[in-house]
Amino acid sequence: MVNEVIVSDDWTRNWQASIAVKITALVMWVIIVAVFIVATWLLRDMESRLQADFEAGADRIAYQVASLVEAGAAGETADLTARMAELQQGSGFSAIGLSLGQQDFLVGDADGQDVIERHLPTALAPGQDIDLEVFHPNLDELVAQRRNQLVIGIFATLLVFGLFLTWSIRTIVHRPLQQLVSATRAVSEGRREVRLDISREDEFGYLSRFFNQMLDRLMAQQRELEQAAEEARSVSRAKSAFLANMSHELRTPLNAIIGYSEMLEEEAGDIGARELTPDLHKINSAGRHLLSLINDVLDLSKIEAGKIEINPVMFQLRDLVSDVVDNIQPMMLRNNNHLQVEVPDPPGRMFSDETKLRQVLMNLLSNAAKFTEDGKVRLQLSRRRERGEDWVQFVVEDTGIGIAPEKLGRLFQEFSQVDSSSTRKYGGTGLGLAISRRFCEKLGGRIEVDSEPGSGSRFTIHLPADFGQLLPEPASRTTVPATRDRVGDTAGPGNAGKALIVDDNASSRDLISRTLQAEGIEVIEARDGREAIALLESQRPHLICTDLILPNMNGFDFIKWLRANPLTTELPLVVVSAMDINPADRRELELQRARIVPKGVNLRQQLVSLLQELVNGETAAG
Amino acid sequence: MARLLLVEDNEMNRDMLSRRLTRRGHEVLTAVSGHTGVALAGTEQPELILMDLSLPDLDGWEATRVLKGEDRTAHIPIVVLTAHAMAEDRERAFAAGCDDYDTKPVDFARLMEKIERLLQPA
């Protein structure tokens, strides 16, 4: 399987970085240095050989001229000149000069030429010696001329050679390397189906072969991991379901224990059996303690399973505070504590998950009540603006036993009640603060603690006043023309609405579609984001169920498109995914107002309850 | 004191609550399902109804809606009781027309307060 992915082939953009250019430059430098050395040597050699040639030529000329002079001593001067001219023309010298006794002869052009002199004794007569001058072109000029030719030749050859070298390196090394780079990049982007061409027999061929093998291994391992993860998920789902059922099953008999013991306590009082009252009261409070343990464990298991859902509602802070104070007052009185409440007037409203916030406040206040005796507990509510956002701050301060500095760090961790003796003395699971922290984080805020042993603790909760601020405002909401039909408008009477299912897996598409159809919902289907977008041109569903891993356009991109599009920005959206969604993605999906339903055994049930919730949300809102 | 109807399918909860209410001097009628509850409310005309939400056949929400929709029973105050402390459950219960709401396990003192408030002549 050859699946070539080409990265930009534009090597000119960063040409210095190209391997071909680097190797070429290196090779060229070596060659240029070598050629320079060789050329210098050659020119030196040439110079000395020319010098030797001229010397030998001069000797030859001298011999011939001597013969001429001896043979033609009786001859005419004109004849000697002509013979010398012949000699000169055949010799390659520029000129030949001769001085014979009182007579001087010169043939050729001696102007600006170098000269070699020869003194020849003759047999003619004493004093009749010959002085010969042979003129030849200047050696340095000759060498310079040659050198220029050589340099031009070398550069032309090097240029051609360099281009050839670059081209061959690009073909032999660069191309396969680039394919490898592209393939690696593709893999790093998650496309593991990429495979390299393995037809080459060189090192790149081997590399490609092993690269492919590595990917095969990786894919196999990934499949195994996915299977293992799926098994783990189903185990975890089973665990969650078990816990939920279990807690319900535990609560029912516990309710009876709490109720009957309370009743017996009253009856014992009525019939005058007062000595039974303390024991009955112990049964009752032990039952209540067990109930709070079960509730905490259930909350924590929900948090750990990522099943905590935030249901923000608009509520009056005054109502929340007075409700919490009413509920906590009996506990305050038990330890003879005074509860002081400071609330601005008016405290205003808040859009958040009231139930969770109430639970956090109850937790902090009951801790304060529990760990303080004959003291003061202060609940303070204030509002402030931070970075243009409206925040609500609750402070719960007590004058109780406080917390040692070294214990503060792990205070918000699970099962971390300061020490086991305090569990015995004060009760509780040590889960309350862990749950409170998680809830505050879920609500977009934080919880802080400040304490000094012996003088008390101070817990501060910061929460955004508008949980909706965390959700991105649909940018183009105001630009939707009022007359235009919005996707997601309430279904007409007698029609439970229409849903669009986007999933590439036919069987899960089928399962979802049958579930929805059973609820009387009309179903349209698409296999990926692009198909879905095409469908949305003509169809106006009231709900979209989408998978996350899709061909062509994945679920995240599709959801972004949906939310960016004014027609679908408010549309109820359900993500049905087999994948374990990591916290960052989960957050992103929450920001896009997508509800998450894991694919699995109780998909059907979860979808139905979600639908009911959506329908009820609509009726409640309308 | 007053004639109350308790609609609850769990035997122990029914027994417990009815006995405690009786001890406070109320007359308590009981029903174990939504349908019998609605029927009893019509014939017996209780002064107040305590309604569990998860009931066999007709659930608590539906029963509340039916009771509030009938002339003969619309005036009877209904207090919904549920083991689910979910805000949605409460909203759905109020949407169905109930007059008050309490979570199980019942805090008896709190429930008595609610009952007494609803029984006071307006």
Side-chain angles (χ1 to χ4, degrees):
Chain A
M1 181 171 56
V2 183
N3 195 337
E4 196 176 314
V5 187
I6 293 294
V7 183
S8 160
D9 198 24
D10 185 12
W11 64 278
T12 50
R13 209 166 43 157
N14 191 13
W15 60 274
Q16 302 101 315
S18 161
I19 286 187
V21 173
K22 280 179 186 160
I23 295 179
T24 308
L26 190 70
V27 172
M28 296 298 276
W29 269 116
V30 173
I31 290 176
I32 286 170
V33 170
V35 164
F36 177 75
I37 293 168
V38 171
T40 313
W41 180 78
L42 274 178
L43 286 171
R44 288 253 173 84
D45 186 50
M46 190 181 82
E47 191 176 354
S48 58
R49 269 193 295 120
L50 274 174
Q51 183 70 49
D53 282 354
F54 284 137
E55 296 281 348
D59 287 342
R60 206 166 49 244
I61 299 273
Y63 172 75
Q64 283 167 339
V65 168
S67 313
L68 270 177
V69 171
E70 280 173 4
E76 293 297 319
T77 312
D79 190 40
L80 181 63
T81 314
R83 295 298 295 274
M84 273 177 61
E86 269 173 40
L87 265 180
Q88 184 255 325
Q89 266 151 28
S91 68
F93 286 104
S94 326
I96 299 172
L98 179 71
S99 87
L100 188 64
Q102 301 302 311
Q103 286 180 290
D104 286 330
F105 304 89
L106 180 72
V107 291
D109 181 13
D111 207 23
Q113 301 289 298
D114 282 1
V115 65
I116 302 172
E117 291 178 354
R118 286 290 183 270
H119 181 76
L120 297 172
T122 60
L124 294 175
Q128 284 271 14
D129 284 359
I130 299 170
D131 284 314
L132 184 72
E133 287 175 320
V134 183
F135 297 91
H136 63 81
N138 183 286
L139 257 184
D140 287 347
E141 271 174 30
L142 273 180
V143 170
Q145 212 178 342
R146 284 295 179 82
R147 194 182 56 213
N148 289 347
Q149 287 167 356
L150 205 61
V151 166
I152 291 168
I154 285 171
F155 272 98
T157 317
L158 280 181
L159 190 67
V160 173
F161 178 72
L163 287 175
F164 173 74
L165 197 64
T166 312
W167 177 80
S168 4
I169 294 172
R170 282 179 68 77
T171 324
I172 299 167
V173 181
H174 187 71
R175 288 265 155 73
L177 209 55
Q178 202 174 39
Q179 284 175 6
L180 207 61
V181 168
S182 310
T184 314
R185 194 168 90 166
V187 172
S188 76
E189 282 166 1
R191 282 177 290 158
R192 302 226 167 137
E193 68 286 350
V194 175
R195 289 296 178 276
L196 287 167
D197 178 12
I198 51 167
S199 59
R200 295 170 66 112
E201 289 294 330
D202 56 12
E203 287 87 340
F204 284 111
Y206 287 119
L207 191 56
S208 303
R209 221 161 290 165
F210 290 129
F211 185 84
N212 289 353
Q213 279 179 18
M214 181 183 80
L215 281 181
D216 290 341
R217 277 287 290 263
L218 266 179
M219 281 177 86
Q221 281 174 350
Q222 195 183 16
R223 272 194 296 275
E224 281 169 24
L225 277 177
E226 274 166 8
Q227 272 176 7
E230 182 50 46
E231 279 166 26
R233 271 194 295 274
S234 68
V235 168
S236 154
R237 275 193 296 270
K239 191 190 83 174
S240 300
F242 171 77
L243 258 172
N245 285 335
M246 195 61 192
S247 84
H248 183 75
E249 294 304 314
L250 288 173
R251 262 193 266 210
T252 309
L254 207 50
N255 286 343
I257 293 173
I258 293 168
Y260 279 109
S261 59
E262 211 169 278
M263 203 170 93
L264 280 174
E265 210 181 313
E266 289 167 14
E267 278 180 11
D270 286 358
I271 60 170
R274 297 223 175 262
E275 70 277 11
L276 292 179
T277 314
D279 289 348
L280 289 168
H281 188 75
K282 280 176 203 155
I283 297 176
N284 185 269
S285 57
R288 286 190 187 277
H289 183 205
L290 185 54
L291 187 70
S292 73
L293 295 184
I294 292 171
N295 287 342
D296 280 359
V297 169
L298 186 71
D299 271 343
L300 202 71
S301 76
K302 270 192 198 158
I303 291 170
E304 274 171 2
K307 288 232 169 71
I308 285 292
E309 283 187 1
I310 299 300
N311 300 304
V313 289
M314 188 62 86
F315 59 91
Q316 293 288 351
L317 280 165
R318 188 194 301 280
D319 295 345
L320 173 75
V321 171
S322 69
D323 196 27
V324 167
V325 168
D326 284 350
N327 275 299
I328 205 69
Q329 207 55 265
M331 269 190 88
M332 292 292 166
L333 296 176
R334 206 169 300 154
N335 274 355
N336 196 24
N337 290 317
H338 173 67
L339 175 65
Q340 182 189 339
V341 183
E342 293 168 24
V343 176
D345 192 35
R349 297 192 304 171
M350 184 174 181
F351 182 72
S352 192
D353 193 320
E354 189 187 2
T355 316
K356 299 207 167 48
L357 177 53
R358 183 196 310 268
Q359 198 174 328
V360 173
L361 287 175
M362 283 302 288
N363 182 264
L364 295 183
L365 284 168
S366 63
N367 278 349
K370 210 160 27 176
F371 296 108
T372 310
E373 274 171 41
D374 305 320
K376 206 170 78 176
V377 176
R378 197 167 67 96
L379 169 65
Q380 187 203 40
L381 163 64
S382 56
R383 306 187 69 124
R384 56 186 63 212
R385 285 193 77 76
E386 269 173 41
R387 294 182 302 267
E389 282 175 18
D390 206 1
W391 288 74
V392 174
Q393 178 182 294
F394 290 94
V395 176
V396 175
E397 201 174 9
D398 64 49
T399 55
I401 57 170
I403 306 150
E406 67 271 18
K407 306 273 169 66
L408 279 178
R410 53 188 188 92
L411 193 63
F412 293 108
Q413 287 166 14
E414 289 79 12
F415 300 103
S416 70
Q417 210 177 47
V418 172
D419 58 53
S420 48
S421 65
S422 73
T423 309
R424 277 196 300 279
K425 184 173 173 195
Y426 298 104
T429 46
L431 292 177
L433 286 175
I435 292 168
S436 297
R437 179 184 59 117
R438 305 282 192 100
F439 278 180
C440 286
E441 284 168 2
K442 271 280 184 185
L443 292 174
R446 61 186 190 279
I447 184 168
E448 286 160 6
V449 62
D450 192 12
S451 180
E452 210 170 289
S455 60
S457 310
R458 177 193 167 98
F459 286 86
T460 312
I461 309 171
H462 302 272
L463 291 175
D466 183 3
F467 185 71
Q469 279 173 352
L470 303 174
L471 312 172
E473 198 73 15
S476 41
R477 186 191 272 174
T478 50
T479 64
V480 185
T483 48
R484 221 161 133 198
D485 239 20
R486 275 214 334 246
V487 177
D489 279 352
T490 322
N495 177 6
K498 195 196 289 183
L500 168 61
I501 300 170
V502 191
D503 199 320
D504 56 332
N505 181 319
S507 65
S508 54
R509 214 165 51 225
D510 193 44
L511 175 66
I512 300 167
S513 109
R514 275 188 288 126
T515 307
L516 295 177
Q517 279 164 349
E519 296 294 305
I521 291 168
E522 193 193 330
V523 167
I524 47 177
E525 298 179 2
R527 272 170 307 198
D528 60 43
R530 280 195 207 158
E531 255 189 53
I533 288 171
L535 261 177
L536 285 172
E537 304 221 341
S538 57
Q539 301 277 350
R540 293 277 178 270
H542 307 96
L543 170 75
I544 294 183
C545 294
T546 180
D547 195 356
L548 287 178
I549 307 208
L550 295 168
N552 296 325
M553 185 190 212
N554 71 36
F556 287 103
D557 292 343
F558 175 53
I559 289 168
K560 275 191 200 123
W561 182 91
L562 282 176
R563 286 322 186 203
N565 189 321
L567 288 175
T568 52
T569 185
E570 307 260 33
L571 196 58
L573 183 60
V574 181
V575 168
V576 183
S577 177
M579 185 174 80
D580 203 4
I581 301 168
N582 68 45
D585 287 342
R586 188 171 279 277
R587 197 175 179 80
E588 167 72 21
L589 288 174
E590 273 165 14
L591 285 176
Q592 303 279 12
R593 286 160 287 136
R595 302 292 294 264
I596 300 164
V597 174
K599 265 184 201 173
V601 276
N602 50 0
L603 169 65
R604 200 190 180 104
Q605 198 189 321
Q606 293 201 55
L607 263 179
V608 170
S609 67
L610 187 59
L611 273 173
Q612 278 169 353
E613 202 178 296
L614 287 170
V615 169
N616 287 321
E618 232 163 64
T619 49
Chain B
M1 264 176 80
R3 196 174 160 86
L4 312 176
L5 170 61
L6 170 62
V7 190
E8 162 74 83
D9 65 323
N10 181 289
E11 199 195 328
M12 277 204 273
N13 282 336
R14 197 171 61 232
D15 174 56
M16 198 164 64
L17 209 53
S18 64
R19 275 170 61 188
R20 294 179 86 178
L21 289 167
T22 310
R23 273 175 18 80
R24 295 288 173 113
H26 297 294
E27 181 190 348
V28 183
L29 305 165
T30 54
V32 293
S33 76
H35 282 308
T36 47
V38 170
L40 263 180
T43 55
E44 299 293 327
Q45 290 290 309
E47 286 160 73
L48 184 135
I49 300 171
L50 293 165
M51 176 76 73
D52 182 31
L53 279 182
S54 46
L55 292 170
D57 62 56
L58 199 62
D59 69 27
W61 290 288
E62 205 45 53
T64 303
R65 205 166 290 137
V66 172
L67 286 168
K68 288 294 177 185
E70 271 183 32
D71 291 343
R72 284 202 306 162
T73 51
H75 65 280
I76 307 174
I78 299 177
V79 178
V80 160
L81 301 174
T82 177
H84 319 282
M86 303 290 287
E88 298 156 31
D89 285 344
R90 191 174 53 190
E91 276 156 29
R92 279 180 69 196
F94 281 117
C98 78
D99 298 85
D100 212 333
Y101 181 98
D102 214 334
T103 50
K104 292 196 281 187
V106 166
D107 180 336
F108 195 68
R110 194 174 59 195
L111 180 66
M112 280 313 294
E113 246 175 60
K114 287 182 177 174
I115 290 174
E116 272 154 28
R117 200 166 51 232
L118 285 169
L119 284 177
Q120 269 163 17

